[in-house]
Amino acid sequence: MKQAIFRSRLLPWALAAPQLIVLFLFFYLPILLAFFWAFHLEQPFGGGSQFVGLQNFRRVLGSAEFWSSAGATLLYMVLASGSSILAALILALAADRALKVSPVARNVFLWPKAVASASIGVVFVFILNPYLGILAPLNDLWPGIWNPRTNAVHTWIMLFAANVWSAIPFSFIILLAGLQAIPQELHKAGAMDGAGPWRRLRDIQLPLLTPQLFVVIVLEVADSLSGSFGLIDTMTQGGPGGATNLLVYKIYADGFKAYDLSGAATQTVILMALVACVTGLQYVFLERKVKYDR
Amino acid sequence: MLKTTALSALALSAAAAHAADIDFWYGNTGTGEAAIQAACAAFNEAQDDHRVTCIGQGGYETGMQKAIAAYRSGQHPALIQFFDAGTLDLMLSGAVMPVAEFAPDADWDGYITGARSYYETSQGALYSQPYNGSTLIFYGNRALLAKAGIEALPQSWEGVAEAARALKAAGVDCPFVTDGHPWRVLEQFAARHGLPVATRNNGYGGLDAEYVFNQGPVAQHLQNLADWRDDGLVKLDADTAAGNYATAFNTGECAMMEGSTGSYGAAHAALGDKVEIAMAPIYDGYARHNTLIGGASIWVMKGHSEADYDAARAFLDFLRQDEQQIEFTRATGYVPVTESALAALQASPEAASLEFATAGVGVDSLNQPGNPDSRGIRLGFYVQFRDIFMEETQKAFTGGQSMQAALDNAAACGNALLRRFEQTYQGVALP
Amino acid sequence: MIENTRSIDRAAGAVLIAGLAFVLAPLAIVVVTATQSYEDFLARNFSLVPGTHLIGNLREIWTRTDLPRQTLNSVIVAAIVATGRVGLALCTAYAVVFFTGRGRGLVYAAAVASIMLPLELMIITAYQVTANVALPVNAVANMGGWWAALTGGPLDLHWNLLDSYAGISLPLMAQGSATLILVQFFRTLPPQLARAAIIDGAGPLRFLRDILLPLSKGPLTALGIYMFIGAWVQYMWPLVAASSPARTMAVVGLARLQEDGERIPDFPLQMTGAILVTLPPLILIALFQRRIVRGLALSEK
């Protein structure tokens, strides 16, 4: 480790204390409380709380609704982060070339960062409104060809479109920075060896981009989940028929609308475990990759 | 019971001159919110002893969620408004006290049957004060109905289906619209047919109730709705251009709808005298029972001082007054909830004016003869059940599963909720 | 470039233009719709023909909705969160990097671990904690009943932060990515800096104030702007933490502009609201694009 120069017993702790307190209160304590509630049956108004062991987990894991929600969550994590990273990668590869539009594109592609997922949800739900939106003429010609309110496939398409839109900036910045850090000499050497652009993409750019790709994958998987709430709450409310009722949304509904504190806490614990596992594994893997490369 | 009664009577006389400030949390937004704020201002204006601060929470559910958190940290208001479906959750919460004991001198028997039975204990004592009351009625668009040669709103479901066929034949794409919400298609339907949603008289008989709507006439009705939707006679929210049943009716897209009395104001603003209303239809061969009251009631929360409670009593008394109820009805389209307010309204020269159009039909519907299954819904975690019901039936409507499977699933999930509720409130007696 | 790549450049250009269209089209539609009046919109439905009602819509937003107030709330909360996150992270990162002694790794890990689990996942219990921040104090005091033995009753302190700026801001600050970024940044600084400070007889606090802070001004501002925008676009937490319309943030207010379905929603008004809610952070991004990119690219190294 670098630095570590000053000696003091109290000062570093005093410096770190404010953040540690905030983290304890609003990050670690909620986690602890979730675990506590997951093993108790909690009366909403706090009248009583009884220890029930694994009963909450049995109940949650035994409900078909939970599994369909968990399935939808996994599907969303994979497809939403996958589609947005792919889009950002293509755009970054294009913007890496010194074209006239590149500077403009590099600026504009960051703009969605300024738009909350809930805001773009409001906008997309209007634009893609089956009767009043941009696709309404299609519906006039072929009724029912586009109806995200009843057709789950259409709903998913709408969600992914909005998610790609709002998730482009972060991945784009990181991937572009990675691409630009690849030395020109490697390109030249590749070209002299007769490797065409596709070949160089596959053999030079992508392998050298792995550290950035991993960062983007790790963060995008977690981000897609937290951003999903704003999209779902404004666009689908979990519908149609629960098709887009992701765990993040279901926990909110169970806890805040139905006062099922124990059930919501149990699902929170399960979801946190899932995300922590996925992210933790990637972190371990990623750390090694980054060190290897730089 | 007697002791509390004596105590509060004592307090009532002793602390008359003592001023207190209390909070009242409500969930309504829009016109409802404006009317509530007006009532609060009128109360503060009318007397100097007490002051009530009315705080909007942006919705019934958020209001409840905040009340739960506030109660757990001891900062809850003295009075809170909450909607019909959460009645049992609040009754057993241990956080509220029955109004009938809280203010024993009030004329609690003066409430109209439908409003009373929903918020009273199984033994018949009111637990909360009915406030903004609504009920389900039937709406028709005269101009569209005339296209198909229909002169009067149908009174039976058979008649509705027939009218819908005629409308479709006459080129009306959306003859009848509903959102499929359980308040409309399940609770109000079962009540006015005198049928149970769950055993033990919808839970009034005990926490061990079980859902039974998934068989018999209620299930048949939902199957009919699904079939009629396949035939293009019935549309749901998502099938309409407006995306919402009430909007679809108001824009003239749909000819008939089942809706709350509270929807009348907007419908009349949009369609004028084309709007026609009647009691909601029933199937031939059934005796008509009362519909249930919708909307919300006001609950007294524990843990405040006697001075606060004096203010709360004064405010509740104030809201019960005939003039206040009539004013509230005028502003919102909710129905009066006491017999005396209704009588005063009907005796007044304004009775025939448009603002009061739903009061007659609505109260009529609420005052039909009742049976033990039409008192109300006394089921735990009912708000959550409504969501499950919507989700499952939506799947059936869009073809993901059969209606019977949807109802069976909803009943099974609902029963699991009821069992958990029973366990959560182990040892607590149903009042 | 290396070879004759005109065809590739042409393809790349096409990709970029398609990307630009995808990003800009929704924004353009928002702006066009915002210029139409409700009546225009009802009459013509979706249309890309601009109207003349933008001022009218803005006036309606200004006078008839809570959005102006909520936008102010957003400015305040985002500023608190940005300053708070950068400030907290600066102190922690400084302590972690520049001091010897045990526990530094643990502190760093405790901060960085919080990146993995977003607040959205633990919303139910975070809400409960915010409703009574004194919860842990009560729990410790009542553990084993020692407080009751001492004073005759269990400790029951109340401190509710819901519906306040502190209640919205603090949980949004409980996230360690700024700490990660600053620790990485401090480690790249030459160690001679601090050594020289010691030789000059400067203590750790003077070094922080006179040398480290001026040196880190660029990254800190970039980070601050980025955090400001990040707080501005929050939706779920402000939605639950502040339920009254006057106290919530602009994004939540925008989502609530959707009416309860008595008539066809006033989409032109909603889109006008969307402009108001989006413009402040959008201007920041457009202006500080380079700095933000540098700040972010920093985070990844």
Side-chain angles (χ1 to χ4, degrees):
Chain A
M1 250 186 229
K2 273 178 151 188
Q3 310 283 1
I5 289 158
F6 297 110
R7 264 166 219 282
S8 169
R9 195 170 281 237
L10 278 180
L11 191 57
W13 288 105
L15 283 167
Q19 182 163 41
L20 289 180
I21 291 172
V22 171
L23 280 173
F24 171 74
L25 277 178
F26 299 107
F27 181 76
Y28 289 102
L29 196 59
I31 295 178
L32 286 177
L33 195 58
F35 273 94
F36 181 84
W37 280 359
F39 291 98
H40 288 75
L41 202 52
E42 186 77 17
Q43 287 186 12
F45 280 87
S49 155
Q50 42 172 323
F51 181 75
V52 292
L54 291 173
Q55 187 197 321
N56 288 326
F57 286 93
R58 271 198 297 273
R59 168 165 69 83
V60 165
L61 296 175
S63 101
E65 215 195 337
F66 169 80
W67 287 107
S68 77
S69 177
T73 307
L74 272 176
L75 182 77
Y76 185 81
M77 273 163 86
V78 171
L79 289 185
S81 52
S83 58
S84 65
I85 291 170
L86 188 66
L89 177 64
I90 294 172
L91 292 179
L93 284 169
D96 186 33
R97 309 186 75 83
L99 303 175
K100 254 191 221 148
V101 284
S102 296
V104 179
R106 281 177 207 169
N107 196 323
V108 170
F109 289 162
L110 296 200
W111 290 10
K113 192 85 206 163
V115 185
S117 56
S119 306
I120 200 60
V122 169
V123 171
F124 266 59
V125 100
F126 159 59
I127 295 177
L128 298 178
N129 184 309
Y131 300 101
L132 305 172
I134 201 167
L135 297 178
L138 285 182
N139 262 340
D140 287 344
L141 287 178
W142 302 282
I145 195 166
W146 171 251
N147 194 344
R149 292 175 190 160
T150 52
N151 186 320
V153 175
H154 297 176
T155 318
W156 280 106
I157 293 174
M158 181 172 77
L159 265 185
F160 288 139
N163 178 70
V164 167
W165 194 90
S166 72
I168 282 178
F170 183 78
S171 307
F172 175 77
I173 296 176
I174 305 286
L175 294 176
L176 184 61
L179 283 173
Q180 298 197 316
I182 296 172
Q184 278 296 316
E185 291 73 51
L186 281 178
H187 275 286
K188 283 194 189 135
M192 298 231 290
D193 288 350
W198 288 114
R199 185 75 196 282
R200 294 205 304 275
L201 173 68
R202 208 187 64 202
D203 290 349
I204 300 173
Q205 286 177 302
L206 283 186
L208 286 178
L209 204 57
T210 44
Q212 285 79 14
L213 275 172
F214 272 113
V215 175
V216 163
I217 290 169
V218 168
L219 295 179
E220 212 43 66
V221 166
D223 247 31
S224 68
L225 269 191
S226 47
S228 71
F229 181 83
L231 294 179
I232 289 173
D233 195 40
T234 50
M235 298 173 97
T236 75
Q237 289 89 45
T244 59
N245 192 10
L246 302 194
L247 274 177
V248 179
Y249 194 77
K250 183 173 181 320
I251 289 171
Y252 163 82
D254 285 359
F256 282 136
K257 296 196 167 162
Y259 334 118
D260 177 11
L261 299 182
S262 307
T266 309
Q267 296 173 75
T268 301
V269 167
I270 297 173
L271 180 60
M272 286 193 305
L274 178 80
V275 174
C277 278
V278 171
T279 325
L281 280 176
Q282 289 173 328
Y283 254 101
V284 171
F285 193 37
L286 165 93
E287 215 43 325
R288 209 181 296 146
K289 280 280 181 186
V290 171
K291 273 176 190 154
Y292 153 77
D293 187 45
R294 304 257 149 123
Chain B
M1 172 96 165
L2 198 69
K3 208 170 133 200
T4 341
T5 312
L7 270 180
S8 45
L10 198 70
L12 198 69
S13 54
H18 191 83
D21 288 356
I22 55 163
D23 283 352
F24 167 48
W25 288 6
Y26 61 87
N28 292 76
T29 53
T31 50
E33 171 158 38
I36 292 174
Q37 285 293 354
C40 295
F43 173 74
N44 290 332
E45 185 73 16
Q47 43 77 49
D48 289 326
D49 295 337
H50 312 289
R51 218 188 142 67
V52 61
T53 309
C54 297
I55 305 170
Q57 303 294 335
Y60 295 131
E61 281 158 351
T62 36
M64 180 69 149
Q65 148 208 332
K66 288 206 40 203
I68 290 177
Y71 190 80
R72 292 174 78 108
S73 57
Q75 289 166 317
H76 51 285
L79 296 173
I80 180 166
Q81 176 213 35
F82 197 56
F83 74 144
D84 50 2
T87 303
L88 182 59
D89 293 350
L90 265 175
M91 272 186 182
L92 294 195
S93 67
V96 292
M97 56 178 112
V99 277
E101 283 174 38
F102 175 73
D105 299 334
D107 175 22
W108 299 115
D109 294 327
Y111 278 91
I112 57 176
T113 328
R116 234 194 103 80
S117 64
Y118 204 101
Y119 299 113
E120 71 188 4
T121 63
S122 326
Q123 280 72 45
L126 262 181
Y127 219 100
S128 58
Q129 174 164 317
Y131 183 35
N132 48 330
S134 63
T135 196
L136 186 79
I137 55 173
F138 198 63
Y139 288 80
N141 180 327
R142 244 182 226 130
L144 291 178
L145 290 171
K147 265 199 196 173
I150 303 161
E151 266 151 35
L153 274 178
Q155 282 297 296
S156 69
W157 279 108
E158 287 83 356
V160 170
E162 198 184 310
R165 283 195 190 92
L167 281 160
K168 201 181 168 215
V172 177
D173 270 345
C174 172
F176 174 80
V177 69
T178 178
D179 62 350
H181 189 282
W183 187 71
R184 272 170 275 281
V185 301
L186 176 65
E187 297 154 35
Q188 298 287 7
F189 176 87
R192 70 180 185 273
H193 288 80
L195 300 165
V197 169
T199 59
R200 305 284 263 146
N201 302 134
N202 297 335
Y204 276 70
L207 294 182
D208 53 346
E210 292 202 357
Y211 286 104
V212 290
F213 61 84
N214 55 330
Q215 48 211 297
V218 183
Q220 186 55 49
H221 174 59
L222 281 151
Q223 184 61 55
N224 288 347
L225 283 179
D227 293 343
W228 289 334
R229 183 176 173 273
D230 290 342
D231 297 343
L233 305 178
V234 168
K235 301 269 179 180
L236 296 171
D237 276 4
D239 308 325
T240 63
N244 172 288
Y245 72 104
T247 318
F249 180 78
N250 295 350
T251 53
E253 185 182 349
C254 300
M256 300 181 282
M257 74 159 174
E258 46 179 356
S260 158
T261 48
S263 302
Y264 186 78
H268 187 268
L271 297 171
D273 56 7
K274 278 188 260 175
V275 185
E276 191 168 346
I277 54 174
M279 280 195 266
I282 55 176
Y283 280 96
D284 288 340
Y286 283 88
R288 187 180 279 280
H289 293 75
N290 64 287
T291 47
L292 304 175
I293 192 145
S297 61
I298 304 179
W299 299 74
V300 184
M301 298 193 84
K302 287 180 181 168
H304 286 269
S305 69
E306 264 314 312
D308 285 358
Y309 285 142
D310 285 335
R313 267 182 216 104
F315 184 56
L316 291 177
D317 285 344
F318 181 79
L319 294 181
R320 258 196 323 269
Q321 290 171 7
D322 294 347
E323 313 82 74
Q324 282 305 313
Q325 288 192 45
I326 292 172
E327 187 48 43
F328 195 68
T329 301
R330 180 207 316 282
T332 59
Y334 285 113
V335 299
V337 281
T338 63
E339 298 284 5
S340 68
L342 185 68
L345 173 61
Q346 281 166 346
S348 83
E350 296 179 293
S353 74
L354 286 167
E355 289 107 322
F356 299 113
T358 53
V361 176
V363 174
D364 235 17
S365 181
L366 285 166
N367 262 341
Q368 294 292 311
N371 79 359
D373 287 327
S374 71
R375 286 175 85 180
I377 302 288
R378 192 54 49 85
L379 301 165
F381 294 140
Y382 194 72
V383 185
Q384 201 172 4
F385 168 77
R386 277 184 171 173
D387 284 348
I388 291 172
F389 182 91
M390 275 299 266
E391 193 176 310
E392 290 293 339
T393 50
Q394 229 186 356
K395 271 188 228 163
F397 281 123
T398 52
Q401 61 182 341
S402 75
M403 183 53 81
Q404 190 57 48
L407 297 177
D408 290 345
N409 283 346
C413 291
N415 284 333
L417 285 177
L418 290 179
R419 294 298 71 79
R420 185 156 49 82
F421 189 84
E422 207 180 352
Q423 191 194 357
T424 308
Y425 291 102
Q426 233 168 37
V428 180
L430 183 69
Chain C
M1 297 243 67
I2 306 128
E3 63 218 300
N4 183 5
T5 50
R6 272 182 52 200
S7 64
I8 305 174
D9 280 348
R10 212 173 292 148
V15 164
L16 285 185
I17 285 172
L20 283 173
F22 177 62
V23 169
L24 291 177
L27 299 178
I29 292 174
V30 167
V31 173
V32 170
T33 310
T35 63
Q36 300 165 347
S37 71
Y38 183 55
E39 291 70 30
D40 276 358
F41 175 77
L42 285 188
R44 283 188 295 183
N45 281 355
F46 190 83
S47 140
L48 288 174
V49 182
T52 53
H53 203 63
L54 181 61
I55 303 294
N57 283 333
L58 278 173
R59 192 176 301 132
E60 200 168 342
I61 288 275
W62 196 258
T63 54
R64 293 228 347 256
T65 72
D66 290 311
L67 265 190
R69 174 68 210 268
Q70 291 159 342
T71 308
L72 179 69
N73 289 347
S74 282
V75 173
I76 294 173
V77 169
I80 297 177
V81 172
T83 335
R85 284 183 71 178
V86 173
L88 293 175
L90 176 70
C91 291
T92 310
Y94 183 57
V96 164
V97 173
F98 285 96
F99 286 86
T100 59
R102 283 191 207 151
R104 299 185 310 154
L106 204 64
V107 170
Y108 185 43
V112 172
S114 66
I115 302 175
M116 288 205 295
L117 297 175
L119 180 60
E120 279 84 353
L121 302 193
M122 52 185 87
I123 199 90
I124 301 287
T125 44
Y127 179 84
Q128 196 55 50
V129 171
T130 312
N132 187 8
V133 190
L135 207 72
V137 183
N138 291 341
V140 170
N142 298 328
M143 210 175 274
W146 61 270
W147 182 272
L150 233 61
T151 61
L155 183 66
D156 191 20
L157 293 177
H158 299 311
W159 189 11
N160 185 345
L161 290 183
L162 292 176
D163 259 347
S164 70
Y165 288 136
I168 309 181
S169 313
L170 281 170
L172 293 177
M173 286 185 209
Q175 218 264 4
S177 57
T179 316
L180 174 86
I181 293 173
L182 285 178
V183 164
Q184 307 286 12
F185 172 66
F186 287 161
R187 282 185 181 157
T188 62
L189 295 176
Q192 293 85 333
L193 280 176
R195 296 237 160 79
I198 289 186
I199 294 167
D200 288 350
L205 288 180
R206 244 191 81 194
F207 169 70
L208 173 66
R209 198 189 62 201
D210 290 348
I211 298 173
L212 199 61
L213 268 185
L215 206 66
S216 327
K217 229 168 98 191
L220 287 181
T221 348
L223 203 55
I225 295 171
Y226 191 67
M227 301 279 155
F228 181 92
I229 295 165
W232 184 286
V233 300
Q234 288 294 324
Y235 176 66
M236 191 184 195
W237 179 250
L239 174 75
V240 301
S243 47
S244 49
R247 292 184 184 154
T248 197
M249 291 169 74
V251 173
V252 178
L254 173 67
R256 288 228 184 117
L257 276 187
Q258 231 142 358
E259 296 143 78
D260 307 329
E262 299 290 5
R263 56 177 201 165
I264 297 209
D266 190 343
F267 285 115
L269 190 73
Q270 270 187 39
M271 296 304 121
T272 314
I275 294 180
L276 181 68
V277 169
T278 304
L279 212 52
L282 193 63
I283 291 173
L284 280 179
I285 289 240
L287 286 183
F288 294 99
Q289 180 247 137
R290 276 168 199 281
R291 276 196 178 189
I292 292 170
V293 168
R294 241 180 282 141
L296 261 187
L298 201 78
S299 77
E300 160 275 321
K301 275 179 190 160

